[in-house]
C-alpha cells in the first residue's frame, strides 16, 4: 500500500500535480516529510498540506478488521483454523492447534539435537492431505547447511504414516511436493526469497522452512558458521578477539536480517498467510553480554555457571522478531523441547526423543518453566543420549551415539 | 513576531517580505483586497494570510496582566480533571499499584522488555480490560490494536476475554447479591468485536495509520485505548538514514500525544530492547535511542528478576520509581505467582 501512487488517490487535481512535479510519486516519500517540509517543497499553505496528508494517509493505511472477524475468517477459510499441527499432542495443545500461520517460528538448539529432524517432519506434514492432518500443499525448504536428507524424510513418512506411504505412487507425490533450495551465498539466498514470493502469489506453497538462518548470515560474511560460532573461542581466546567476532557478526547479520525480515513481514501479511519455520544455532554466552538493565542491582551470579550455558546465535533484535521460539536442549541424558516464547502459552517443557518416525514426546504434560530457565540452553549430556530403537536408523544424524 | 514564522506557503511569505511586510503588526490594519493588490494574489489567498496572521498575533500578545491565553488551563483545573479520569487496570493489583491505579488516559505510556517477557500479552490484556463496563469500574471503551510484528493471536485474545468475562460476572454477583436480575451482558465475542485490528507491514504504513487514527477515532468516539505493538519493528529493520528515523519517530510521538489529549484516551506503545555499552559493560536498554526516550510520558520496563517477572517505572512525571512483580497465566496478566498456588497447565 505504501507504493500506491499519489496521483491515484483522489486528491484535487492541482494538488496531485504539485506532488508529481516535486518528484513525490508515492505515499512513502510524502510521509517521510514533515508538514513544514512539504509546505516548503510544494509551495502551498498549511491547510492544503494537512488535508492532502490526511487523504494520503487514509489511502495508504491498510483497512482494519475487528478481532472477531479476524477469528471467524481464520476458522472458516484456513485449514485447521490457521495452524499446522505438529502431531505432538502436548505441543499442539500449548500452541492452540499447532504452528500458527502468518508468523515466524524459530527452532534453537545445539548441533545434533534434532532441529533438522523436526524441520523434515514439518515439511512432510505440510505436504500430506488435509484428512491426515496436513495442509495438502507444496513446501519450500531452504537448506543452507546441506543437511536435508530425502532418504530420512521418506523413512519418517513410511514409519509415521504407513497408510499413505505404502500406497502406490504416494511417496513420490508427497516427496515431489517438497522443493529443496540450496543457496550458496547471500545473493543466492536473496534470489530464493524472490522466487518464493512469486510462488506464494500462485497460492501453492503452504510452508517455508529455512535451515538454518544462522548459516545464511555467518556465511554471508565469508566465514564458515562453524568457525565463527564454535565454542573453541569460549575459554581460550582473548576477550578482544571474541568481541571483534561478535561485532562482525552483528554488522553483517544486521543487513541480512533486515532483508529477510522485511521480506517476511511483507509476504506473510500481504500475499499469503503460511507458517514460516527457521532454525537458529547456539553459541556460548560471553561474559560481556548485557543481561541486565542499568537500574538493576548487579547480581553476583556464579561465574562457573557460564560455561555450561549457551545462548541463541542470533541476538536480541532477531529474538524480538520471532513470534514463537522453541528451544531444543539436552539435560542429564534427556532431550527437552521448550516453548520459550509464545504469545499464547506459558513457557513449558516437554521431554522428547527422536525415533524412526521422526520425533515424539515422552509425555504430553508440559512442565512449566520460570525465570532464566526459559531461555537457557543446556547441551551437556546430549552426546551420550542414545535414542536408538535399533530399527534401521543407523546414521548419526538424529541420535548421535557417543 | 515575524512574518517568517507564519504557517503560510513559501511563495506567499516571500511576496510578503519583498513587499515590506515583515512584522505581524504591519499586517494588522490591512484589508484583504488591498493586500491582494499589493502582493498580486487573489482575494481569498489574501484573506487566508490575514486570518492566519491575526490568529498568531492574538496568541502572541501576552501583556495585560491576567490575559486569558487561548487553550491554557490552570493547574487547579487540571488537578480536578485528573482525579476524574478513569484508569485502565492491568488485571494485576501490584502493577496497578505502582502505576497509580492503572494505565492513565491522556498520556502516552511506553512499555519495553526482552523477548518473551509478556509485552504482547499485556497489550491483549489491556485491549480487553478497557472494555470493562462503567458500572463495574471500567471505562466501557473500545481498543485499537496496531500490530507491526504479526504477533497478535486471536486465540489468545479469546482466552483472555473469556477469563475476563468470568471474572466480571463473579464481581457482578458480589456487587448485586440480592439483585439477581442484573445479568452480565458482555460476551467474549463482543469483546473481540470491539478490538479494531490494523496489521502494518512497513514504516510508511505505520506513519499513515497514525495520521489516519485522527479521522478514525473521530468516527469511532468510543475508542479509549490505542496500542502499538511494537513501535520499533519497522524502524529497526529498513533504516539507514538515522536522522530521518529520529525525525519520523519524533513526529509520530507528537501525533500520538495529541491524539491522547484530544480524544481523552490512553496510548500504550511497546518497545523492544537492545544492548548498549555503558560504564565499561554491556547493558540492556530500550531501543530507538536517546532522543526517543524523551517522547513518552511514562516509561515502564518489564524484566526478569530471578524467576519472576517484574515491572519497573523508569520514567514518569507523577509516579515514583518502583517495581512490582506480575505473572502471565493462562487467564492473562495476573498477580505474581508467589502469592498463590500456580495453576498448572492442563
Amino acid at each position: 500500500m505504501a507504493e500506491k501512487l499519489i496521483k491515484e488517490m483522489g486528491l484535487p487535481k492541482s494538488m496531485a500535480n504539485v506532488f508529481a512535479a516535486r518528484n513525490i510519486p508515492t505515499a512513502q516519500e510524502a510521509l517521510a516529510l514533515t508538514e513544514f517540509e512539504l509546505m516548503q517543497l510544494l509551495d502551498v499553505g498549511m491547510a492544503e498540506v494537512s488535508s492532502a496528508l490526511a487523504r494520503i494517509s487514509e489511502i495508504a493505511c491498510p483497512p482494519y478488521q475487528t478481532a472477531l472477524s479476524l477469528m471467524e475468517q481464520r476458522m472458516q477459510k484456513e485449514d485447521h483454523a490457521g495452524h499446522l499441527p505438529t502431531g505432538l499432542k502436548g505441543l499442539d495443545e500449548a500452541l492452540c492447534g499447532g504452528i500458527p500461520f502468518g508468523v515466524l517460528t524459530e527452532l534453537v538448539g545445539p548441533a545434533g539435537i534434532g532441529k533438522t529432524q523436526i524441520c523434515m517432519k514439518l515439511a512432510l506434514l505440510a505436504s500430506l492431505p488435509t484428512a491426515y492432518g496436513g495442509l495438502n500443499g507444496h513446501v519450500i525448504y531452504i537448506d543452507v547447511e546441506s543437511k536435508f536428507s530425502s532418504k530420512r524424510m521418506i523413512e519418517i513418512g513410511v514409519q509415521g504414516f504407513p497408510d499413505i506411504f505404502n500406497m502406490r505412487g504416494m511417496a513420490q507425490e508427497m516427496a515431489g511436493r517438497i522443493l529443496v533450495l540450496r543457496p550458496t551465498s547471500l545473493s543466492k539466498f536473496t534470489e530464493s526469497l524472490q522466487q518464493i514470493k512469486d510462488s506464494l502469489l500462485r497460492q501453492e506453497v503452504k510452508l517455508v522452512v529455512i535451515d538454518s538462518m544462522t548459516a545464511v548470515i555467518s556465511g554471508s560474511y565469508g566465514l564458515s558458521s562453524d568457525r565463527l560460532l564454535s565454542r573453541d573461542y569460549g575459554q581460550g581466546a582473548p576477550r578482544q578477539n571474541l568481541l571483534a567476532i561478535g561485532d562482525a557478526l552483528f554488522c553483517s547479520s544486521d543487513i541480512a536480517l533486515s532483508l529477510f525480515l522485511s521480506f517476511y513481514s511483507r509476504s506473510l501479511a500481504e500475499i499469503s498467510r503460511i507458517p514460516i519455520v527457521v532454525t537458529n544455532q547456539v553459541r556460548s554466552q560471553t561474559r560481556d553480554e548485557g543481561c541486565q538493565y542499568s537500574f538493576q542491582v548487579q547480581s553476583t551470579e556464579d561465574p562457573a555457571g557460564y560455561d555450561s550455558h549457551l545462548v541463541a546465535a542470533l541476538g536480541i533484535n532477531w529474538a524480538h522478531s520471532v513470534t514463537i521460539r522453541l528451544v531444543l536442549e539436552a539435560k542429564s541424558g534427556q532431550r527437552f523441547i521448550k516453548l520459550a516464547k509464545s504469545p499464547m502459552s506459558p513457557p513449558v517443557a516437554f521431554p522428547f526423543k527422536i525415533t524412526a518416525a521422526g520425533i515424539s514426546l515422552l509425555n504430553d504434560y508440559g512442565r512449566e518453566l520460570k525465570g532464566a530457565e526459559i531461555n537457557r540452553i543446556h547441551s551437556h549430556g546430549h552426546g551420550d543420549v542414545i535414542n536408538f530403537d535399533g530399527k534401521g536408523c543407523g546414521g548419526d544424524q538424529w541420535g548421535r551415539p557417543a | 513576531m515575524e512574518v517568517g514564522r507564519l504557517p503560510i506557503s513559501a511563495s506567499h511569505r516571500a511576496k510578503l517580505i519583498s513587499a515590506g511586510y515583515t512584522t505581524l503588526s504591519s499586517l494588522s490594519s490591512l484589508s484583504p483586497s488591498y493586500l491582494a493588490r499589493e502582493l498580486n494574489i487573489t482575494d481569498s489567498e489574501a484573506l487566508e494570510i490575514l486570518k492566519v496572521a491575526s490568529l498568531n498575533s492574538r496568541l502572541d500578545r501576552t501583556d495585560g496582566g491576567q490575559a486569558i491565553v487561548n487553550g491554557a488551563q490552570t493547574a487547579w483545573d487540571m488537578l480536578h480533571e485528573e482525579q476524574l479520569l478513569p484508569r485502565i487496570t492491568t488485571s494485576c493489583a501490584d502493577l496497578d499499584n505502582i502505576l497509580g491505579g492503572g494505565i492513565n488516559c491522556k498520556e502516552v505510556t511506553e512499555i519495553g522488555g526482552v523477548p518473551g517477557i509478556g509485552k504482547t500479552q499485556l497489550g491483549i490484556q489491556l485491549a480487553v480490560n478497557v472494555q470493562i463496563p462503567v458500572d463495574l469500574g471500567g471505562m466501557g471503551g473500545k481498543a485499537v490494536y496496531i500490530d507491526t510484528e504479526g504477533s497478535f493471536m486471536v486465540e489468545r485474545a479469546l482466552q483472555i476475554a473469556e477469563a475476563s468475562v468470568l471474572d466480571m460476572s463473579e464481581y457482578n454477583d458480589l456487587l448485586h447479591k440480592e439483585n439477581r436480575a442484573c445479568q452480565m451482558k458482555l460476551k467474549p465475542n463482543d469483546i473481540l468485536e470491539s478490538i479494531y485490528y490494523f496489521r502494518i507491514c512497513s514504516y510508511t504504513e505505520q506513519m499513515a495509520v497514525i495520521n489516519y487514527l485522527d479521522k478514525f477515532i473521530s468516527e469511532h468516539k468510543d475508542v479509549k485505548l490505542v496500542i502499538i505493538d511494537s513501535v520499533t519493528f519497522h524502524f529497526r529493520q529498513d533504516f539507514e538514514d538515522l536522522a530521518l528515523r529520529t525525525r519520523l519517530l519524533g513526529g509520530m510521538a507528537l501525533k500520538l500525544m495529541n491524539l491522547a489529549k484530544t480524544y481523552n484516551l490512553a496510548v500504550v506503545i511497546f518497545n523492544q530492547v537492545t544492548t548498549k555499552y555503558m560504564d565499561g559493560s554491556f547493558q540492556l536498554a530500550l531501543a530507538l535511542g536517546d532522543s526517543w526516550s524523551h517522547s513518552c510520558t511514562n516509561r515502564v520496563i518489564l524484566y526478569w528478576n530471578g524467576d519472576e517477572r517484574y515491572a519497573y517505572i523508569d520514567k514518569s512525571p507523577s509516579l515514583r520509581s518502583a517495581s512490582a512483580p506480575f505473572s502471565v497465566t493462562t487467564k492473562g496478566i495476573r498477580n505474581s505467582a508467589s502469592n498463590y498456588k500456580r495453576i498448572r497447565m492442563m
Side-chain angles (χ1 to χ4, degrees):
Chain A
M1 309 240 182
E3 285 82 26
K4 197 162 174 184
L5 292 174
I6 285 179
K7 65 174 187 234
E8 284 161 15
M9 286 185 176
L11 286 174
K13 190 103 186 144
S14 57
M15 207 57 196
N17 288 339
V18 174
F19 273 103
R22 291 294 179 275
N23 201 15
I24 306 179
T26 67
Q28 186 169 2
E29 282 89 9
L31 291 174
L33 296 165
T34 63
E35 288 179 357
F36 273 93
E37 283 170 321
L38 276 177
M39 277 168 64
Q40 284 286 349
L41 210 61
L42 304 180
D43 192 13
V44 288
M46 182 83 162
E48 285 97 330
V49 167
S50 324
S51 75
L53 271 185
R55 179 75 192 155
I56 291 169
S57 301
E58 191 178 343
I59 304 286
C61 169
Y64 78 90
Q65 267 185 306
T66 66
L68 184 67
S69 72
L70 202 66
M71 187 172 73
E72 280 166 354
Q73 187 189 334
R74 292 194 185 162
M75 292 293 183
Q76 285 157 14
K77 289 201 184 138
E78 295 181 350
D79 302 325
H80 311 291
H83 294 274
L84 165 62
T86 60
L88 309 172
K89 193 164 153 270
L91 191 64
D92 280 347
E93 271 172 34
L95 287 172
C96 297
I99 306 232
F101 293 4
V103 303
L104 204 54
T105 302
E106 184 195 27
L107 295 165
V108 195
I113 192 81
K115 299 187 294 291
T116 305
Q117 298 294 312
I118 297 184
C119 287
M120 290 196 285
K121 174 95 183 273
L122 289 174
L124 198 68
L125 280 169
S127 69
L128 291 181
T130 322
Y132 289 90
L135 301 177
N136 202 18
H138 288 257
V139 175
I140 291 185
Y141 196 109
I142 305 188
D143 182 24
V144 187
E145 295 175 325
S146 296
K147 282 183 181 158
F148 182 85
S149 150
S150 43
K151 190 167 154 243
R152 169 68 180 140
M153 200 193 65
I154 299 285
E155 187 192 350
I156 296 175
V158 171
Q159 298 285 335
F161 306 93
D163 333 356
I164 304 177
F165 278 78
N166 290 338
M167 240 186 275
R168 205 183 167 76
M170 278 309 262
Q172 193 190 347
E173 193 184 334
M174 291 300 121
R177 289 178 173 181
I178 298 168
L179 312 167
V180 182
L181 288 169
R182 288 197 164 142
T184 46
S185 66
L186 185 64
S187 58
K188 289 267 172 57
F189 178 72
T190 324
E191 239 168 69
S192 320
L193 290 185
Q194 193 52 47
Q195 284 173 14
I196 295 175
K197 226 172 193 171
D198 297 343
S199 49
L200 282 179
L201 275 175
R202 293 198 298 270
Q203 301 282 326
E204 296 160 336
V205 175
K206 287 291 169 79
L207 173 71
V208 172
V209 178
I210 301 173
D211 183 22
S212 72
M213 202 60 209
T214 331
V216 172
I217 283 149
S218 46
S220 75
Y221 195 68
L223 287 164
S224 86
S225 58
D226 290 334
R227 257 188 49 130
L228 195 59
L229 301 166
S230 109
R231 251 157 283 149
D232 298 345
Y233 284 104
Q235 272 96 35
R239 183 167 297 172
Q240 287 85 348
N241 200 354
L242 199 66
L243 271 182
I245 291 165
D247 283 349
L249 186 62
F250 180 74
C251 295
S252 63
S253 72
D254 242 22
I255 302 163
L257 280 186
S258 56
L259 199 131
F260 171 73
L261 285 172
S262 63
F263 151 77
Y264 138 78
S265 102
R266 271 152 213 272
S267 57
L268 283 181
E270 288 174 14
I271 306 174
S272 81
R273 278 171 43 81
I274 56 160
I276 293 194
V277 177
V278 302
T279 66
N280 188 355
Q281 299 170 349
V282 294
R283 64 186 166 88
S284 60
Q285 187 170 25
T286 64
R287 200 76 54 87
D288 288 310
E289 238 160 322
C291 50
Q292 283 195 316
Y293 297 99
S294 48
F295 61 81
Q296 276 179 280
V297 194
Q298 287 291 325
S299 75
T300 46
E301 207 177 323
D302 176 20
Y306 274 106
D307 33 39
S308 59
H309 292 135
L310 304 169
V311 290
L314 302 177
I316 203 161
N317 184 9
W318 169 258
H320 272 299
S321 313
V322 301
T323 304
I324 292 174
R325 168 173 270 185
L326 292 164
V327 172
L328 307 180
E329 64 164 10
K331 206 162 77 181
S332 37
Q334 179 68 60
R335 291 172 196 229
F336 289 95
I337 183 164
K338 296 196 291 193
L339 190 52
K341 182 190 178 192
S342 145
M344 41 205 167
S345 149
V348 283
F350 301 94
F352 78 96
K353 61 173 183 178
I354 308 272
T355 62
I359 157 175
S360 61
L361 298 185
L362 295 180
N363 67 56
D364 292 321
Y365 303 99
R367 185 173 58 84
E368 209 172 303
L369 305 169
K370 276 194 239 169
E373 204 190 342
I374 296 170
N375 279 307
R376 252 178 214 162
I377 305 168
H378 295 269
S379 76
H380 55 256
H382 104 265
D384 37 61
V385 184
I386 303 173
N387 269 325
F388 278 124
D389 27 20
K391 289 175 198 154
C393 33
D396 64 354
Q397 251 194 48
W398 59 90
R400 181 181 294 165
Chain B
M1 187 174 173
E2 305 245 328
V3 164
R5 284 170 58 196
L6 282 183
I8 52 176
S9 73
S11 66
H12 287 168
R13 190 181 309 142
K15 280 179 182 166
L16 274 175
I17 291 169
S18 63
Y21 298 101
T22 50
T23 61
L24 286 184
S25 52
S26 65
L27 284 172
S28 59
S29 57
L30 296 181
S31 75
S33 55
Y34 178 78
L35 188 67
R37 247 180 293 127
E38 242 346 49
L39 303 184
N40 200 13
I41 54 178
T42 64
D43 278 359
S44 61
E45 281 171 323
L47 187 67
E48 200 57 39
I49 291 175
L50 288 178
K51 243 192 240 166
V52 172
S54 72
L55 184 74
N56 274 277
S57 66
R58 233 183 300 139
L59 284 176
D60 215 28
R61 213 181 304 139
T62 45
D63 55 345
Q66 45 162 342
I68 291 149
V69 185
N70 231 358
Q73 219 181 352
T74 66
W76 182 252
D77 291 341
M78 282 169 79
L79 180 71
H80 272 278
E81 213 179 276
E82 267 167 38
Q83 281 166 346
L84 289 176
L85 281 181
R87 284 151 193 268
I88 305 166
T89 169
T90 57
S91 285
C92 167
D94 297 327
L95 196 54
D96 281 351
N97 235 349
I98 61 164
L99 285 169
I103 302 287
N104 217 344
C105 281
K106 285 196 164 191
E107 278 178 10
V108 179
T109 306
E110 180 189 19
I111 301 175
V114 293
I117 190 79
K119 297 187 294 293
T120 302
Q121 307 268 344
L122 184 56
I124 298 174
Q125 182 77 56
L126 288 171
V128 169
N129 284 356
V130 72
Q131 302 178 41
I132 297 174
V134 179
D135 41 326
L136 293 180
M139 301 184 64
K142 293 186 176 177
V144 167
Y145 201 102
I146 300 173
D147 184 10
T148 63
E149 299 179 356
S151 55
F152 180 84
M153 294 279 146
V154 263
E155 296 92 344
R156 181 65 178 146
L158 185 66
Q159 270 179 11
I160 292 179
E162 277 166 354
S164 164
V165 164
L166 226 68
D167 283 359
M168 278 192 270
S169 61
E170 239 169 65
Y171 185 61
N172 196 35
D173 289 349
L174 280 177
L175 268 183
H176 308 278
K177 248 189 187 141
E178 60 287 338
N179 186 6
R180 279 277 159 196
C182 208
Q183 278 294 313
M184 279 296 304
K185 281 178 233 103
L186 211 57
K187 298 265 179 319
N189 277 2
D190 300 338
I191 291 185
L192 290 191
E193 204 170 4
S194 306
I195 300 176
Y196 301 115
Y197 173 83
F198 288 88
R199 176 73 173 95
I200 301 298
C201 317
S202 69
Y203 76 87
T204 307
E205 284 184 20
Q206 194 170 333
M207 298 305 295
V209 77
I210 283 159
N211 286 337
Y212 172 62
L213 273 184
D214 202 37
K215 186 169 178 225
F216 181 82
I217 292 172
S218 66
E219 286 162 4
H220 300 81
K221 280 263 166 42
D222 41 3
V223 169
K224 284 288 162 218
L225 174 67
V226 174
I227 294 169
I228 306 179
D229 179 20
S230 66
V231 73
T232 332
F233 185 75
H234 295 301
F235 284 93
R236 220 171 170 176
Q237 307 318 334
D238 22 319
F239 260 90
E240 278 137 46
D241 185 353
L242 285 181
L244 174 66
R245 183 176 98 162
T246 309
R247 215 171 51 206
L248 288 180
L249 282 170
M252 197 168 73
L254 212 63
K255 278 171 191 152
L256 289 172
M257 205 85 83
N258 268 335
L259 209 64
K261 292 266 185 305
T262 331
Y263 297 101
N264 196 5
L265 49 82
V267 175
V268 176
I269 52 190
F270 290 97
N271 194 355
Q272 300 179 347
V273 159
T274 186
T275 49
K276 201 174 167 185
Y277 191 75
M278 272 186 297
D279 309 329
S281 66
F282 284 97
Q283 286 180 324
L284 294 177
L286 296 198
L288 297 181
D290 288 324
S291 49
W292 167 257
S293 8
H294 292 286
S295 47
C296 295
T297 323
N298 304 308
R299 178 174 248 194
V300 180
I301 295 178
L302 309 180
Y303 65 102
W304 285 108
N305 186 3
D307 280 352
E308 272 189 292
R309 294 177 159 96
Y310 268 72
Y312 172 79
I313 311 266
D314 188 46
K315 171 193 155 175
S316 164
S318 56
L319 305 168
R320 69 193 180 88
S321 76
S323 55
F326 70 98
S327 73
V328 179
T329 69
T330 340
K331 291 163 137 188
I333 305 287
R334 289 294 183 268
N335 271 346
S336 172
S338 55
N339 294 349
Y340 56 86
K341 207 169 166 285
R342 201 177 180 93
I343 311 146
R344 284 189 71 93
M345 270 281 294
M346 286 164 280

